[in-house]
Amino acid sequence: MAALKEKRTCAQRCEDFGYFVWNPDTKQLLGRTLDKWVYISLYYVAFYIVMSGLFVLALYVLLSTLSPYTPTYRDRLQSPGVVMRPNTYGDEGLLIVYEVNKPDSYTPLIHTLQNYLTPYNRTEQHAHYENEHCNGNKYFTQNEPKDPEQKLLSCPFYRSSLGKCSGMDNSTFGYPDGQPCIIIKMNRVSMDLPPLVNVYFLFFKQKGEPKNLHNIEYFPPNGTFDLHYFPYYGKIAQPSYMNPLVAVKFNSLEKNKLLKIECRVVADKISADNIHDPYEGKVEFEIEIKNGTAVNK
Amino acid sequence: MTTEKSEVFMVEPLNRGNVSKKKNRFSLSSIMTRVRRRGGKMENMKREVEINDHRLSIEELEKKYATDIKVGLSPADAAERLDRYGLNKLTPPKGTPEIVKFTKLLLGGFQILFWIGSILCFIAYGLQVSSDPTSPRDNLYLGIVLVGVVVMTALFAYYQEAKSTNIMAGFKNMVPQQACVIRGGSKLQINATELVIGDIVDIKGGDRVPADLRLFAGRGCKVDNSSLTGESEPQARSSELTHENPLETKNIAFYSTTCLEGTASGIVINTGDNTVIGRIAFLASGVENEKTPIAIEIEHFVHMISALALFVGFLFLFISLGMGYNILNAIIFFIGIVVAYVPEGLLATVTVCLSLTAKTMAKKNCLVKNLEAVETLGSTSVICSDKTGTLTQNRMTVAHMWFDKYVHTADTSEEMTGEQFDMSSKTWTALGQVASLCNRAVFRGGQEDKPISRREVEGDASETALLKFTEMVLGNVAGIRDQNPKVAEIPFNSTNKFQLSIHETDDPADKRYLLVMKGAPERILDRCSSIMITGQEWPLDEEMKEDFQRAYMELGSMGERVLGFCHCYLPEDKFPVGFQFDTEEMNFPTTNLCFVGLISLIDPPRSSVPEAISKCHSAGIKVIMVTGDHPITAKAIAIAVGIISPESETVEDIAQRLNIPIEKVDKADAKAAVINGGDLKDMTTEQLMEILRNHPEIVFARTSPQQKLIIVEACQNLGNFVAVTGDGVNDSPALKKANIGIAMGIAGSDAAKGAADMILLDDNFASIVTGVEEGRLIFDNLKKSISYTLTKNIPEMVPFMVYIIISCPLPLGTITILFIELGTDIIPSISLAYEKAESDIMNQKPRHPKRDRLVNIQLAAYTYFHIGIIETFSGFLCYFTVMAEQGYLPGTLINIRVPWESRTVGDLQDTFGQEWTYYQRAQMEWTGYTSFFVGIVGCQIINSIIRKTRRFSLFRQNVLKNRVFLMGIASQIIVAAFLSYCPGMGDGLHFMPLRVQYWFVSAPYVILIFAYDELRKLIIRNFPGCWVDRELFY
């Protein structure tokens, strides 16, 4: 086996490698002559061009089978998610902590809300989308557009309907008073039949049964999403669609205590029972409002 | 020349003793020289030299060992000594401690890469957690899983190794040896391991000498020192001091040698590792093992893959850093790429494939000790084989007879199925009578139910052969002897060179005595004045003598041991009934006898050997016979089994034919060569290599086991993979030096078995050839298995690259990759080991160790850059299909990674304006993993099918034949379906249930792979040597 285990010095190995890179005797570069390299490169180029072509063709066939307006399936989007503003995150998830006496602690929250509501100003939304369907609490069903140029109508949502939480009268959203507003949005989902939608809040004690929160104000009243915002026909058909919102004002939250609160969207086809997802059909968050006296205690 | 030859033949039995003695000294001293070279073993050497018990008188011995040769040790004394010196057994060669073995497995192969990967995972997780406590635990899990993979792989390999070691251990402990010892005045049978120094031991024919003994009494004792010296000629043992050297003197018997006949008593002077054989065995274990070729191949391949993995990993580390990813992400990408690129399951697969073959080989009587040696036989290009026992049956058998002026052939086949000769002649009756009467051998009792050829016999080899022959042909030799009672006898001795006995006849009317004699043919003929032809006595004239001479030469040149037989009816008047025959004075005639015939004996070749050798030749394997036997015998057997083909000549043959001096013969004309050990001693290595190069058919005769080592080394220097067979302790170094040492299971000593890589359970050369076939098959199948396994590394790695470059959601998770490597693909890759040979592998040359690599450029290129790439496209097609149908068109996926992976984005829009929460996106990502996984699995199924052949079309192959393979494919589908549909997989392993139609998205690519590979095979078959053949045939 001597042939197999010749001990060679590093210099010899380097020399060998040098020969491998460029062998002047056979005019081989990395083990192949130049024309061999050309051949093999041509082969690979051709091979990859054909393969990529087939792939593009396959993708083209795939895309041509898809509807341009709505996705084919919603296997991983069974229920719409729910998002909340302000959305500051702590270790576990959404967490709102501020101190009533320290404007620095809540100004960013107020800014978030203000920014979020800006698109909902009356000036931002085109008035002509307003139409007769947007008055009654009925589904606003339309036919799918025939061609991509045709757009469907959407109902506008004005921030004024959020009342005390619209930030128009009281730009602080009640934060300095210890009565903060939060804004709830249900994610858009192209569901076949839109649900009857209502939101309500549960308050979780650290341990034990959840109980309903009292002294809450909903805007619009009853905390409902009007049915004329549904169904959603997708971004291409309904480019001007605005998610309806619900705002909540907590009037008597216990101070200086971290409260775990869950906001559920209650509707027929919406499930809020996914234990892994705290934001599907509901939004879970924690809130602590500190006031100076307690801190000084 | 003729007379010279017969002279050699005649003298042989005489000379043997001397030759073997010389050989003894040579072999032992050369071993000792080897000891001296190995530093720290000088202590052993000194003790070796210190043996002087052979010079002491019995009284001195009794005093020295505080024992009594009549009473022995007292049991209490013996127990005390046993405590002090330990058991009388050889310490098995100190294996590596188990923990070190395991640690080696933990750190060998790819394991280092995995350790680095898992440590990086833990670091990455630590960094992630410190910067964002909500970060997912994926990296922590991955780190744990990687450690798990390493530990599992190591445990698995350890288990496989332990299993094959256990086979060996069981093999060793099969027969506990007993010893007959005198203790406290009574004879006891005890386990030989309980012997202590000073014990008085009796040995008799058939026993293995249980310890080093200083003999103080011996009656016709002969020992076979072959386990010590490799020389199987029996040597006498008695109480006399015959030589200063303890290794040569007659009054010492060595541990592990066999007592052939007679009895002897002795004092135990050394036990266990202190025995001479213990010391030799100890040093043989020190000769370094060569690395097996498959180990070299795997090492080569592991290095190649590891280097590539690290190269690509670092490349993308820098690319991702250059693209602005932070260092933590870059590290995570690095881990992902390394995990994707390294074939985690491959080493386990190789281990299983090898152990499967080892099992198959064990069924065919090749017990493989070291798994990696399984393949070595397949790459063997030279086999150095013993003659006795391996090529031959290891029993002297009557081969020919000469009487009535004709040579008659006896049946020498193993099962006695050959033709019988003509027995009608009266001469045969006389010859049979002489052969059965003038014979001291007897069957041992209680063997009546055994076939004659298998019965055990008390007596030397020639007499045994004659006894069995006469028993077979005449039947009931004991009865014949009873009817012709022996009245006098002169045993064979080297001065007379004959053996005679005088019997009463079986005819009650005939009161004459019958004198029968056998011996060296010339000597017998000299004593004869007449010859029996067809039952009639004829005067022995010159013509008859010439006939005799011709027959004798003919038989002699066939390498047979020839014996002459004669008889004489003593005249009744001179030797009346009751005559007192005096064997000392020889008061009876020993000349003017009547010559009856010749019987020649040979150790006949095994019947399966010639075919095996011709297979070796067609497989391009050179078979070299290395034997301690006489050149003529060796050559005759070599011709009989085909090692030397009938038409080839040696230099001597040519010289004789052309009648020219040997020096003038052109050596290139001689295909064959018979080299004498004596000549070999004077040769330089270059000369020996010259001979090995020039002659395809070589026989080494009269060689010592040490010369075997030299021959092996010379073959290896010529670049050959050498297999060596051996049985003696002295063969151990050669067995170790060989690329694959093959010990004989029946005749082999434990030391030889210990040094060998493989044990032939039936001592049959033909088993080696089946081993070669299996070895070659597994090499081909490993190629298939490896190419199959490597293919998926590209579709596993590319997603990571795409992920980094276009910043899309990760198409294939690291855990998913591990499930392909260790879940779906394991059984199919193992099942490829069950493939039958594609073409006749025994008609090809042995693979060239440097050119025909297990994993070559062609295999890697075709696997990675052709099939691997197609599989990648297939995976991406599945991925994009699922993503698009669920809401994310390919265009949207680009550059979506940052918000996609952000936990604080609860409403990420897809192409259609739908908004997704973080967890919904995660599930979508896992669905993507699963779809990519399904895309790969689909292609891997067709990949495993196309890998079944490397050259032939699958249409010609019965694809359904390999049941295990079908099970492999079924397992692949079942595992994939289980992973996807078992509830709860999502959060643990990130597999999601898929719509049924998604399993078929890869169908176009499955067809494409099949068609592409068939096209490749078609071109390779039809245009051998073309560009495709050169670049894409692996």
Side-chain angles (χ1 to χ4, degrees):
Chain A
M1 186 115 55
L4 280 182
K5 53 167 195 187
E6 309 157 33
K7 288 261 185 297
R8 287 177 305 164
T9 61
C10 186
Q12 279 170 313
R13 279 171 189 274
C14 290
E15 196 178 323
D16 282 357
F17 185 73
Y19 261 89
F20 173 68
V21 173
W22 173 246
N23 185 340
D25 304 334
T26 53
K27 298 220 183 322
Q28 280 179 329
L29 178 74
L30 294 171
R32 282 196 176 83
T33 56
L34 207 58
D35 52 337
K36 288 273 169 53
W37 271 114
V38 171
Y39 282 138
I40 197 158
S41 312
L42 281 179
Y43 182 83
Y44 274 103
V45 167
F47 178 71
Y48 289 141
I49 285 175
V50 171
M51 284 302 141
S52 311
L54 287 175
F55 185 67
V56 170
L57 179 71
L59 279 189
Y60 177 78
V61 171
L62 163 72
L63 294 183
S64 66
T65 62
L66 299 180
S67 142
Y69 305 108
T70 48
T72 319
Y73 302 111
R74 284 189 301 108
D75 293 338
R76 303 286 163 253
L77 203 56
Q78 304 280 357
S79 290
V82 177
V83 290
M84 180 188 97
R85 291 293 184 282
N87 53 347
T88 48
Y89 283 81
D91 288 358
E92 299 291 315
L94 283 168
L95 173 70
I96 297 170
V97 182
Y98 75 94
E99 203 169 315
V100 281
N101 298 333
K102 288 192 180 163
D104 285 354
S105 66
Y106 56 77
T107 325
L109 304 177
I110 296 172
H111 271 286
T112 311
L113 289 176
Q114 286 289 7
N115 289 341
Y116 190 70
L117 289 178
T118 310
Y120 289 95
N121 286 337
R122 190 172 288 270
T123 50
E124 300 283 326
Q125 298 183 58
H126 298 289
H128 65 266
Y129 284 130
E130 208 169 338
N131 56 63
E132 69 277 16
H133 300 286
C134 301
N135 293 328
N137 191 11
K138 278 197 302 193
Y139 294 127
F140 178 23
T141 46
Q142 305 172 67
N143 293 326
E144 269 207 354
K146 298 280 181 300
D147 64 278
E149 291 309 307
Q150 190 193 347
K151 301 297 176 200
L152 298 184
L153 297 175
S154 341
C155 292
F157 185 90
Y158 298 121
R159 92 190 254 189
S160 54
S161 53
L162 297 182
K164 284 186 194 166
C165 289
S166 66
M168 294 159 81
D169 307 330
N170 177 359
S171 61
T172 61
F173 295 93
Y175 279 72
D177 317 324
Q179 296 177 329
C181 282
I182 60 162
I183 292 169
I184 302 294
K185 179 191 90 172
M186 191 173 75
N187 281 352
R188 305 174 199 177
V189 170
S190 317
M191 291 178 87
D192 299 341
L193 268 182
L196 175 71
V197 199
N198 213 329
V199 294
Y200 78 98
F201 280 79
L202 296 167
F203 156 65
F204 291 86
K205 283 197 275 187
Q206 275 330 82
K207 278 171 189 164
E209 286 296 301
K211 66 178 188 187
N212 285 329
L213 270 175
H214 298 292
N215 242 334
I216 299 178
E217 279 183 84
Y218 292 101
F219 306 95
N222 304 327
T224 54
F225 296 110
D226 276 336
L227 289 183
H228 58 247
Y229 294 105
F230 305 100
Y232 175 56
Y233 288 99
K235 168 154 95 172
I236 293 143
Q238 266 182 310
S240 58
Y241 184 85
M242 296 299 286
N243 292 56
L245 303 176
V246 166
V248 182
K249 193 171 172 66
F250 298 104
N251 285 330
S252 58
L253 276 185
E254 203 178 337
K255 301 293 186 296
N256 299 319
K257 194 172 173 197
L258 189 67
L259 302 168
K260 190 169 184 181
I261 293 169
E262 181 185 296
C263 162
R264 270 171 187 267
V265 173
V266 183
D268 269 355
K269 290 179 154 187
I270 296 179
S271 150
D273 301 330
N274 188 335
I275 52 162
H276 297 293
D277 192 350
Y279 309 116
E280 188 177 279
K282 65 186 175 205
V283 55
E284 287 174 7
F285 64 97
E286 288 175 306
I287 184 163
E288 181 173 6
I289 305 167
K290 298 174 182 165
N291 63 22
T293 54
V295 173
N296 294 338
K297 227 189 276 178
Chain B
M1 186 69 202
T2 39
T3 44
E4 196 187 304
K5 222 177 204 175
S6 67
E7 188 55 35
V8 168
F9 221 77
M10 282 305 308
V11 189
E12 194 194 340
L14 244 187
N15 267 356
R16 277 237 158 156
N18 292 334
V19 170
S20 57
K21 233 180 233 165
K22 248 186 252 158
K23 211 176 294 174
N24 280 359
R25 191 170 334 146
F26 172 69
S27 53
L28 279 169
S29 60
S30 63
I31 287 185
M32 294 310 169
T33 325
R34 286 185 157 257
V35 188
R36 265 178 230 120
R37 274 196 227 122
R38 313 180 70 81
K41 289 169 186 163
M42 285 298 282
E43 284 310 301
N44 279 322
M45 270 310 302
K46 277 181 191 154
R47 271 185 286 153
E48 159 74 26
V49 178
E50 274 165 17
I51 292 186
N52 60 354
D53 295 321
H54 54 297
R55 289 194 215 108
L56 302 180
S57 70
I58 293 183
E59 290 69 32
E60 284 169 321
L61 281 170
E62 281 184 329
K63 213 170 123 201
K64 179 174 176 189
Y65 293 112
T67 184
D68 185 299
I69 61 166
K70 299 247 161 38
V71 188
L73 295 170
S74 72
D77 217 5
E80 193 262 331
R81 289 187 192 193
L82 188 63
D83 257 8
R84 187 144 34 105
Y85 298 112
L87 287 175
N88 171 33
K89 62 173 184 191
L90 298 184
T91 323
K94 204 184 275 168
T96 344
E98 298 299 300
I99 183 74
V100 174
K101 266 194 215 164
F102 189 65
T103 315
K104 266 189 184 166
L105 290 172
L106 276 181
L107 299 177
F110 294 121
Q111 316 286 44
I112 291 282
L113 274 189
F114 292 150
W115 284 116
I116 296 172
S118 67
I119 289 167
L120 283 178
C121 277
F122 293 131
I123 293 173
Y125 177 68
L127 289 175
Q128 272 178 322
V129 167
S130 64
S131 69
D132 172 16
T134 61
S135 46
R137 299 226 176 90
D138 287 11
N139 282 313
L140 178 65
Y141 294 147
L142 182 60
I144 295 170
V145 168
L146 284 180
V147 173
V149 167
V150 172
V151 174
M152 289 304 292
T153 318
L155 276 177
F156 183 75
Y158 182 77
Y159 167 73
Q160 289 290 354
E161 242 173 51
K163 230 169 53 178
S164 60
T165 320
N166 279 345
I167 299 175
M168 277 309 300
F171 195 73
K172 265 187 191 158
N173 296 332
M174 231 147 48
V175 193
Q177 202 192 337
Q178 296 280 310
C180 179
V181 64
I182 300 176
R183 276 188 188 168
S186 51
K187 279 198 177 185
L188 303 169
Q189 281 285 336
I190 62 165
N191 258 337
T193 53
E194 287 164 21
L195 282 182
V196 294
I197 291 177
D199 261 330
I200 308 301
V201 175
D202 284 344
I203 54 171
K204 58 179 193 309
D207 285 355
R208 233 162 65 121
V209 177
D212 283 358
L213 302 178
R214 159 67 163 87
L215 304 178
F216 54 78
R219 285 160 297 275
C221 179
K222 280 187 179 171
V223 292
D224 172 5
N225 270 0
S226 62
S227 67
L228 191 64
T229 61
E231 171 55 46
S232 59
E233 194 63 25
Q235 291 169 24
R237 282 293 180 262
S238 66
S239 56
E240 305 150 37
L241 168 66
T242 55
H243 205 287
E244 282 299 298
N245 187 338
L247 300 170
E248 308 266 329
T249 180
K250 276 190 176 178
N251 60 359
I252 291 192
F254 293 104
Y255 178 44
S256 93
T257 59
T258 316
C259 176
L260 293 173
E261 56 188 85
T263 60
S265 307
I267 300 177
V268 175
I269 54 171
N270 278 318
T271 59
D273 292 332
N274 291 326
T275 57
V276 170
I277 202 107
R279 285 174 232 173
I280 294 176
F282 179 70
L283 68 98
S285 68
V287 178
E288 216 171 296
N289 249 330
E290 296 277 348
K291 253 185 198 160
T292 60
I294 197 77
I296 295 169
E297 287 302 323
I298 289 171
E299 203 172 79
H300 164 82
F301 155 78
V302 165
H303 287 162
M304 199 172 94
I305 298 280
S306 305
L308 274 173
L310 288 176
F311 172 74
V312 179
F314 277 114
L315 182 71
F316 272 80
L317 184 84
F318 294 125
I319 288 179
S320 49
L321 285 177
M323 289 177 65
Y325 289 99
N326 65 27
I327 183 78
L328 182 66
N329 275 327
I331 289 176
I332 293 170
F333 299 158
F334 175 79
I335 299 167
I337 283 182
V338 170
V339 169
Y341 195 72
V342 172
E344 284 83 1
L346 189 68
L347 295 187
T349 308
V350 171
T351 312
V352 174
C353 291
L354 290 178
S355 67
L356 284 173
T357 306
K359 260 191 195 164
T360 320
M361 284 172 132
K363 269 186 213 151
K364 295 178 177 171
N365 289 321
C366 292
L367 193 63
V368 182
K369 272 172 60 188
N370 171 5
L371 275 189
E372 287 165 351
V374 163
E375 191 274 331
T376 316
L377 263 185
S379 26
T380 297
S381 50
V382 171
I383 300 177
C384 290
S385 176
D386 267 350
K387 180 181 79 73
T388 313
T390 310
L391 297 172
T392 67
Q393 302 171 18
N394 195 21
R395 55 185 180 94
M396 272 294 172
T397 308
V398 172
H400 294 101
M401 284 148 292
W402 179 78
F403 56 81
D404 293 350
K405 293 169 50 175
Y406 288 105
V407 171
H408 301 259
T409 306
D411 177 16
T412 53
S413 66
E414 277 149 299
E415 301 306 324
M416 292 300 152
T417 48
E419 279 179 28
Q420 282 297 355
F421 58 97
D422 174 30
M423 282 186 279
S424 56
S425 165
K426 287 247 173 62
T427 317
W428 159 243
T429 320
L431 183 60
Q433 193 179 34
V434 178
S436 42
L437 291 181
C438 188
N439 188 341
R440 285 153 39 100
V442 287
F443 287 111
R444 296 218 173 109
Q447 305 187 83
E448 284 70 25
D449 49 336
K450 280 198 208 169
I452 293 165
S453 58
R454 303 228 183 288
R455 290 188 202 165
E456 281 180 39
V457 175
E458 198 96 40
D460 74 22
S462 326
E463 298 218 314
T464 302
L466 289 170
L467 173 66
K468 287 183 173 173
F469 176 66
T470 48
E471 178 84 11
M472 200 115 49
V473 179
L474 302 172
N476 197 12
V477 170
I480 297 173
R481 289 185 190 166
D482 285 345
Q483 283 165 8
N484 301 277
K486 196 188 288 179
V487 292
E489 177 175 43
I490 301 178
F492 183 86
N493 71 51
S494 39
T495 29
N496 290 342
K497 286 207 185 172
F498 66 76
Q499 170 181 0
L500 75 74
S501 55
I502 301 171
H503 300 259
E504 293 169 15
T505 61
D506 47 358
D507 181 359
D510 188 353
K511 294 293 177 209
R512 289 179 299 173
Y513 284 103
L514 172 64
L515 182 148
V516 290
M517 185 192 267
K518 76 164 184 231
E522 299 97 325
R523 299 297 180 98
I524 297 292
L525 194 72
D526 289 348
R527 294 172 185 276
C528 293
S529 57
S530 60
I531 183 165
M532 186 181 271
I533 309 285
T534 60
Q536 303 294 313
E537 281 192 31
W538 294 79
L540 191 63
D541 54 20
E542 281 308 308
E543 196 194 326
M544 291 290 182
K545 279 189 181 170
E546 260 171 44
D547 274 354
F548 162 87
Q549 204 55 251
R550 215 175 298 124
Y552 180 30
M553 276 310 304
E554 186 188 339
L555 298 177
S557 68
M558 287 191 278
E560 299 179 359
R561 183 184 294 178
V562 192
L563 294 171
F565 293 81
C566 63
H567 74 182
C568 176
Y569 285 95
L570 301 178
E572 200 181 351
D573 50 340
K574 283 190 193 157
F575 303 94
V577 179
F579 181 86
Q580 284 299 310
F581 293 98
D582 185 343
T583 52
E584 294 296 319
E585 295 294 321
M586 300 236 234
N587 55 355
F588 46 85
T590 56
T591 52
N592 289 330
L593 310 174
C594 171
F595 190 85
V596 183
L598 294 171
I599 295 183
S600 66
L601 307 163
I602 197 163
D603 180 9
R606 288 168 176 268
S607 45
S608 53
V609 168
E611 197 197 331
I613 296 218
S614 82
K615 260 191 188 172
C616 279
H617 285 159
S618 62
I621 302 170
K622 187 166 170 177
V623 183
I624 297 177
M625 182 197 275
V626 184
T627 177
D629 244 322
H630 194 277
I632 294 175
T633 320
K635 190 181 169 193
I637 293 290
I639 290 170
V641 297
I643 288 181
I644 295 181
S645 45
E647 69 276 8
S648 43
E649 292 176 306
T650 62
V651 173
E652 292 80 13
D653 290 338
I654 295 175
Q656 198 188 349
R657 176 164 57 84
L658 303 176
N659 211 4
I660 53 172
I662 288 181
E663 294 74 40
K664 287 198 178 162
V665 176
D666 181 6
K667 286 199 171 112
D669 290 343
K671 243 179 108 189
V674 178
I675 314 288
N676 198 310
D679 305 338
L680 186 57
K681 208 158 44 179
D682 305 328
M683 276 183 207
T684 62
T685 317
E686 284 68 38
Q687 282 172 316
L688 178 58
M689 283 167 69
E690 181 84 21
I691 287 171
L692 289 170
R693 229 192 323 260
N694 288 345
H695 303 283
E697 300 170 344
I698 304 178
V699 169
F700 288 97
R702 280 271 190 254
T703 47
S704 72
Q706 269 50 54
Q707 294 180 321
K708 206 181 221 181
L709 185 61
I710 296 166
I711 295 166
V712 171
E713 278 172 341
C715 289
Q716 288 179 337
N717 287 341
L718 289 171
N720 290 312
F721 273 115
V722 184
V724 170
T725 70
D727 44 22
V729 173
N730 256 1
D731 290 335
S732 311
L735 288 174
K736 283 239 155 182
K737 180 72 201 166
N739 299 98
I740 180 158
I742 304 170
M744 297 299 132
I746 302 168
S749 60
D750 282 355
K753 285 177 197 166
D757 304 296
M758 187 175 280
I759 295 170
L760 277 194
L761 293 179
D762 57 357
D763 289 13
N764 189 345
F765 183 83
S767 306
I768 301 179
V769 179
T770 56
V772 170
E773 197 166 357
E774 290 294 331
R776 290 188 174 190
L777 181 58
I778 194 64
F779 189 81
D780 278 7
N781 283 350
L782 276 181
K783 256 188 178 183
K784 295 175 184 174
S785 192
I786 289 174
S787 59
Y788 167 75
T789 309
L790 288 186
T791 315
K792 61 184 177 286
N793 290 122
I794 291 295
E796 284 167 0
M797 187 174 64
V798 175
F800 248 100
M801 301 176 170
V802 170
Y803 165 69
I804 293 170
I805 291 169
I806 70 168
S807 219
C808 63
L810 183 61
L812 187 67
T814 328
I815 306 269
T816 325
I817 290 172
L818 289 176
F819 270 93
I820 301 176
E821 295 280 352
L822 302 172
T824 55
D825 273 8
I826 281 281
I827 300 179
S829 60
I830 291 171
S831 71
L832 282 170
Y834 285 93
E835 280 299 306
K836 294 270 170 293
E838 202 177 325
S839 53
D840 195 354
I841 41 178
M842 288 307 275
N843 282 334
Q844 291 157 11
K845 293 250 162 298
R847 74 182 178 92
H848 189 286
K850 293 200 97 175
R851 238 182 2 240
D852 309 327
R853 312 300 307 241
L854 183 64
V855 175
N856 51 20
I857 296 280
Q858 287 84 349
L859 185 146
Y862 185 65
T863 299
Y864 282 151
F865 301 129
H866 295 245
I867 304 296
I869 291 294
I870 300 179
E871 287 193 5
T872 310
F873 278 121
S874 163
F876 272 108
L877 182 63
C878 288
Y879 174 75
F880 282 132
T881 305
V882 171
M883 284 308 222
E885 292 206 330
Q886 303 287 343
Y888 292 92
L889 296 191
T892 316
L893 290 174
I894 295 170
N895 223 1
I896 204 179
R897 188 186 71 90
V898 177
W900 179 280
E901 288 179 352
S902 164
R903 300 179 76 82
T904 60
V905 178
D907 50 358
L908 184 69
Q909 284 197 4
D910 64 16
T911 316
F912 301 99
Q914 300 191 103
E915 290 168 329
W916 298 63
T917 68
Y918 174 76
Y919 185 76
Q920 287 165 340
R921 294 195 305 269
Q923 283 203 320
M924 194 59 235
E925 186 174 321
W926 303 337
T927 311
Y929 295 174
T930 314
S931 62
F932 209 106
F933 165 81
V934 164
I936 295 177
V937 168
C939 289
Q940 279 295 80
I941 291 175
I942 193 69
N943 188 22
S944 67
I945 294 172
I946 62 165
R947 301 294 184 179
K948 280 168 78 79
T949 62
R950 292 189 295 144
R951 179 179 289 274
F952 291 114
S953 165
L954 280 172
F955 294 111
R956 272 183 46 186
Q957 209 84 359
N958 187 354
V959 181
L960 305 179
K961 206 169 170 189
N962 183 346
R963 286 270 166 85
V964 184
F965 181 76
L966 294 182
M967 270 166 51
I969 291 183
S971 81
Q972 195 163 22
I973 296 168
I974 291 167
V975 170
F978 175 83
L979 286 173
S980 170
Y981 293 113
C982 176
M985 281 292 179
D987 293 292
L989 305 175
H990 302 348
F991 281 94
M992 298 300 286
L994 285 189
R995 284 178 178 271
V996 176
Q997 68 261 39
Y998 293 154
W999 290 76
F1000 301 97
V1001 174
S1002 55
Y1005 283 102
V1006 168
I1007 297 166
L1008 179 65
I1009 290 175
F1010 180 77
Y1012 186 69
D1013 193 60
E1014 277 297 318
L1015 180 68
R1016 178 187 71 100
K1017 287 172 187 165
L1018 183 77
I1019 295 175
I1020 288 173
R1021 284 197 308 275
N1022 290 341
F1023 305 98
C1026 69
W1027 186 85
V1028 176
D1029 190 15
R1030 272 179 287 125
E1031 297 290 344
L1032 300 181
F1033 180 67
Y1034 52 89

